[in-house]
């Protein structure tokens, strides 16, 4: 059987230790047991390494993450995760049941489209002095929508009792909320799910505190 060389090479993740989008992909790779190499892209150093012409060739949006896998380079964390799911289907990150699958995608999209982009680094740099209040406002607004939804869908995890893409999105967003001093205790379902997920090895080993590019004062 012919196997292309690109399929034998380890995936390469271009990311940043504290990027929630990069963390989503790290979690997915860890859950799937996929070994990969990391190329750090420091979003702050040198004015932002994601803004260089070299990185623009990898990701024209000049954002992280970008993953080279199976001979193709992909950006956008949910697209990357769903590609990994479709090409390496075990363990499953999207439920077989169409309704549950839609719920997973809904929760993931609320976070990935409705919350995170409004408090990412590029937006906050444009906001200026009011950036903390801005970030808090949009995180709280998003969590106020997520909390009642998760009360309906959650079992042990976001949708039922199996880890899914929704959980992969939730944990990095809670980390961001805590960074911006949002009181997560006002969202008890979100808080419970986050605490449960952070006990799982894939979430621990992919945590921002233990990445190759994590500054020494932030390493755990």
């Amino acid at each position: 059987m012919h196997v292309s060389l690109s399929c034998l090479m380890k995936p390469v993740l271009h990311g940043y230790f504290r990027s929630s989008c990069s963390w989503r992909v790290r979690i997915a790779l860890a859950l799937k047991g996929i070994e990969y190499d990391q190329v750090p892209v420091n979003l702050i150093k040198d004015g932002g390494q994601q803004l260089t012409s070299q990185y623009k060739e990898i990701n024209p949006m000049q954002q992280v993450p970008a993953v080279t896998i199976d001979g193709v380079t992909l950006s956008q964390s949910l697209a990357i995760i769903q590609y990994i799911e479709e090409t390496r289907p075990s363990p499953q990150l999207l439920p077989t049941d169409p309704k549950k699958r839609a719920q997973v995608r809904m929760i993931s999209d609320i976070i990935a489209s409705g919350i995170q982009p409004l408090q990412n680094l590029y937006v906050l740099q444009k906001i200026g002095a009011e950036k903390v209040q801005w970030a808090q406002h949009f995180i709280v607004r998003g969590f106020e929508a997520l909390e009642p939804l998760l009360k309906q869908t959650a079992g042990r995890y976001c949708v039922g009792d199996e880890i899914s893409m929704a959980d992969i999105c939730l944990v990095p967003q809670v980390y961001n909320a805590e960074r911006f001093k949002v009181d997560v205790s006002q969202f008890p379902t979100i808080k419970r799910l986050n605490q449960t997920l952070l006990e799982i090895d894939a979430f621990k080993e992919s945590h921002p505190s233990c990445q190759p590019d994590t500054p020494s004062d932030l390493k755990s």
Side-chain angles (χ1 to χ4, degrees), residues 18-183:
R18 202 153 59 181
S19 155
S20 59
C21 301
S22 299
W23 189 5
R24 294 172 197 157
V25 175
R26 294 197 302 263
I27 296 168
L29 291 166
L31 286 167
K32 296 284 189 179
I34 301 170
E35 293 186 4
Y36 63 99
D37 292 324
Q38 294 200 54
V39 176
V41 180
N42 194 307
L43 303 185
I44 300 171
K45 187 178 179 181
D46 304 323
Q49 294 176 347
Q50 75 279 15
L51 303 177
T52 64
S53 57
Q54 294 93 330
Y55 186 71
K56 190 174 183 179
E57 292 181 9
I58 296 169
N59 182 356
M61 275 295 286
Q62 298 178 289
Q63 298 173 333
V64 291
V67 172
T68 300
I69 183 170
D70 300 339
V72 64
T73 299
L74 302 171
S75 62
Q76 300 301 320
S77 62
L78 297 194
I80 295 166
I81 292 166
Q82 290 182 79
Y83 176 80
I84 293 168
E85 172 74 357
E86 289 166 0
T87 57
R88 296 148 174 87
S90 181
Q92 201 168 1
L93 298 179
L94 287 169
T96 304
D97 177 76
K99 291 180 180 177
K100 288 185 177 180
R101 182 177 287 231
Q103 289 173 329
V104 166
R105 286 179 165 146
M106 172 182 66
I107 293 163
S108 300
D109 281 340
I110 287 172
I111 295 169
S113 299
I115 304 175
Q116 187 275 326
L118 291 162
Q119 44 92 135
N120 73 8
L121 178 64
Y122 184 82
V123 170
L124 295 182
Q125 287 173 335
K126 295 292 185 182
I127 297 299
E130 301 297 318
K131 63 183 182 181
V132 173
Q133 296 92 326
W134 172 280
Q136 290 172 340
H137 170 80
F138 284 105
I139 293 170
V140 169
R141 179 176 180 268
F143 279 11
E144 286 174 345
L146 269 183
E147 178 70 16
L149 287 173
L150 290 170
K151 282 183 180 178
Q152 297 174 19
T153 64
R156 181 169 175 79
Y157 305 117
C158 283
V159 178
D161 296 322
E162 301 296 330
I163 294 174
S164 71
M165 186 168 68
D167 302 290
I168 291 172
C169 291
L170 181 70
V171 169
Q173 186 55 61
V174 174
Y175 174 83
N176 278 350
E178 292 172 342
R179 279 183 59 215
F180 288 110
K181 310 301 182 186
V182 172
D183 179 14

